[in-house]
Amino acid sequence: MSFFKTARPYIIAGPCSAETREQVMAVAAELAGMNVQLMRAGVWKPRTRPGAFEGNGQPALEWLQEVRQTYNLPVTTEVADTNHLELALKYGIDVIWIGARTVVNPFQVQRLADALRGTNIPVMVKNPVSPDVDLWQGAIERFEKAGITSVAAIHRGFSGYTAAAGYRNQPNWPIPIELKRRKPELTMIGDPSHISGKRARVAEVAQKALDMHFDGLMIETHPDPEAAWSDAAQQVTPAQLRTILSQLIVREETTRDMSGQEQLEYLRQSMDSLDAEILDLVARRMELSGQIGNVKKSCNMTVFQPSRWSEIVDGLCARSNMHGLSKDFVTGLYEKIHNESIRIQLSVMEDAPKEIKK
Ligand code: PEP
Ligand code: MN
C-alpha cells in the first residue's frame, strides 16, 4: 500500500521554511497533537529573485531530525539537487519532495531519480510551474521507474502572467484531473497555500481539492505567520490549521444511500442519452460542414470567413444568455467545433470535387 494512503485525508503541515530551531520545534509541538501525518519545512528555498532568504541548509536538517526523535512525527523537505538529496538521506528525512521549479527540468529530475534508486523513500512531486500535464506525469514516472513505490503528486497551481481570480498560482483543475485519469492509483495532494497565496482563502481551496477527490493536503503552518521569512501572506497558525481541519468535509466517491443511488442512476441515464443525442447532432453538423466545403470549393470561396464566424459567435452569446450558460464556456465549446469544421473543409478543398448533396 502507498505510504500516503494511511490516512484520509493525508495531512502535511509545517512552515514554508525552517527558520530557527525554536520555530521548528514550536510548530512541531503543536502539530504532534493534531491529526497531521507529516511535517514539512523547506531547508533549501528556491526564491524567484536573489537576495531573499534561501534556507538554512544542513543545520535545519538537524532540527528536523530532532522533530522526528522528540515527537515521532515523520518529516519532509524539498530537494533540488543530488547534494541536497544526499544530505536529506543522511539526516533520515522520511519523505522527499521535488519543487515546482525543479520538475520543469527532466535532466535534473532524472539525476534525482537515479540517486534515489534502491532507497524506496516516498517521493512527492509538485506540478511544474508550467501547465503541462505530460511534464508532471513524466517526472512522476522517472521516480516510479527508479523503483520508488510510493510517489504522490502535489497540485500547487501554475504560473501565469496575471494571477487568475485572485489566486497566487492558477489552479487549472483539469490538469490534476487529467493526471488522475491517466494514473488512477496516484495519490493526489492539494497545496492550497501556494495556490491561494493568502491565508484567508486556504480553507476554501482545501475543501475544493477534497471535493475534487484529492487524497490529502499540504498546508503551510507557522507559529507567527506574519513574521515568516518566506511566504508570510499564505501561512496559517497552528490554531487556524486546527480550525481548517475540523471544518473540512470529507466526501466519498460512492454512497450506500439507496435512494441517492437510484436518483443518480436515473439522472445519469438521462445524461447518457443526452450525450448520445449531442454527438449525433455534432456528427450531422460536421456532415453539413463537408457539404458547405464543397460549395465553397466550387464557388472559389475561402474556407474561413471572419464575418460568418462573428455572426455565429454573436448568436451563441445571445443564446447562452437565454439559457443562463456562461459565454466563455459556450464560445470555448464552439471554438472546438468550429476548428473541426475548418479541418473538414480544408480537407474537402484538397480533395477531388464531390457531388453536392441536395
Ligand atoms: C514550498 O512548498 O514552499 C515551495 C517552494 O513550493 P513550490 O515548489 O510549489 O513553489
Ligand atoms: Mn512556501
Side-chain angles (χ1 to χ4, degrees):
M1 189 177 66
S2 166
F3 177 88
F4 304 102
K5 299 262 157 103
T6 47
R8 193 168 169 271
Y10 185 89
I11 302 294
I12 307 160
C16 179
S17 305
E19 297 165 3
T20 62
R21 179 183 167 276
E22 291 62 39
Q23 173 240 20
V24 168
M25 296 312 287
V27 74
E30 301 262 12
L31 300 180
M34 286 188 222
N35 198 4
V36 167
Q37 280 67 50
L38 182 65
M39 174 162 152
R40 64 152 283 154
V43 165
W44 297 280
K45 297 304 300 175
R47 305 310 296 277
T48 305
R49 303 206 34 212
F53 172 61
E54 294 191 324
N56 284 306
Q58 191 162 348
L61 292 171
E62 287 175 22
W63 310 333
L64 291 181
Q65 202 172 39
E66 197 178 336
V67 167
R68 293 183 78 238
Q69 282 158 3
T70 314
Y71 297 105
N72 199 23
L73 182 62
V75 290
T76 182
T77 200
E78 172 178 352
V79 303
D81 62 37
T82 49
N83 294 333
H84 296 166
L85 180 59
E86 205 177 297
L87 280 168
L89 296 180
K90 183 173 152 201
Y91 282 87
I93 298 297
D94 301 273
V95 175
I96 295 299
W97 104 67
I98 316 295
R101 293 162 193 79
T102 306
V103 177
V104 289
N105 182 346
F107 290 123
Q108 190 66 351
V109 171
Q110 191 57 52
R111 274 192 284 271
L112 289 165
D114 289 339
L116 276 165
R117 207 175 286 276
T119 63
N120 207 9
I121 287 208
V123 175
M124 305 188 292
V125 181
K126 288 214 174 190
N127 67 253
V129 283
S130 47
D132 185 338
V133 68
D134 297 313
L135 196 57
W136 194 7
Q137 180 179 1
I140 289 164
E141 286 169 351
R142 286 177 199 276
F143 292 104
E144 288 173 342
K145 279 194 187 332
I148 307 294
T149 48
S150 291
V151 183
I154 302 182
H155 173 232
R156 51 79 79 195
F158 303 88
S159 294
Y161 187 57
T162 51
Y167 294 118
R168 175 180 177 193
N169 291 301
Q170 302 172 7
N172 288 337
W173 294 101
I175 295 184
I177 288 171
E178 170 59 12
L179 184 60
K180 189 77 183 167
R181 190 191 65 77
R182 293 183 189 183
K183 295 178 80 66
E185 297 305 316
L186 182 67
T187 298
M188 185 67 73
I189 292 168
D191 176 348
S193 309
H194 288 90
I195 289 180
S196 68
K198 41 178 118 40
R199 59 189 134 269
R201 290 195 74 181
V202 167
E204 159 205 333
V205 179
Q207 183 61 55
K208 177 129 191 199
L210 292 191
D211 291 342
M212 293 294 191
H213 201 283
F214 279 37
D215 304 287
L217 297 167
M218 180 190 253
I219 300 181
E220 284 190 340
T221 310
H222 190 288
D224 182 7
E226 266 150 56
W229 299 1
S230 59
D231 289 352
Q234 71 195 30
Q235 302 201 59
V236 297
T237 63
Q240 286 165 335
L241 177 70
R242 199 183 279 278
T243 308
I244 292 171
L245 296 182
S246 71
Q247 290 176 348
L248 284 174
I249 302 168
V250 182
R251 298 184 164 96
E252 303 297 326
E253 184 171 356
T254 52
T255 176
R256 281 183 223 272
D257 175 333
M258 287 308 284
S259 121
Q261 274 180 23
E262 274 167 25
Q263 286 177 52
L264 261 186
E265 185 65 18
Y266 168 76
L267 292 169
R268 283 181 169 161
Q269 275 176 15
S270 311
M271 192 178 256
D272 288 349
S273 66
L274 278 184
D275 280 340
E277 273 181 55
I278 290 173
L279 213 60
D280 290 348
L281 287 173
V282 170
R284 273 170 55 197
R285 193 188 189 283
M286 292 306 163
E287 221 177 282
L288 285 179
S289 279
Q291 292 172 19
I292 289 176
N294 273 325
V295 178
K296 286 178 179 168
K297 184 176 184 177
S298 59
C299 300
N300 217 17
M301 290 167 76
T302 55
V303 162
F304 179 52
Q305 285 141 337
S307 57
R308 165 72 179 148
W309 175 232
S310 302
E311 207 179 280
I312 295 180
V313 172
D314 290 347
L316 289 170
C317 286
R319 264 190 174 267
S320 48
N321 215 6
M322 210 165 80
H323 291 298
L325 293 167
S326 106
K327 277 185 190 162
D328 281 355
F329 162 67
V330 174
T331 42
L333 182 66
Y334 264 82
E335 263 162 28
K336 283 223 175 310
I337 292 177
H338 186 240
N339 283 344
E340 179 61 6
S341 182
I342 285 183
R343 191 190 66 76
I344 289 173
Q345 294 190 16
L346 284 175
S347 75
V348 167
M349 288 287 169
E350 287 160 11
D351 281 353
K354 281 185 194 136
E355 203 188 316
I356 302 168
K357 282 189 205 156
K358 289 267 155 48

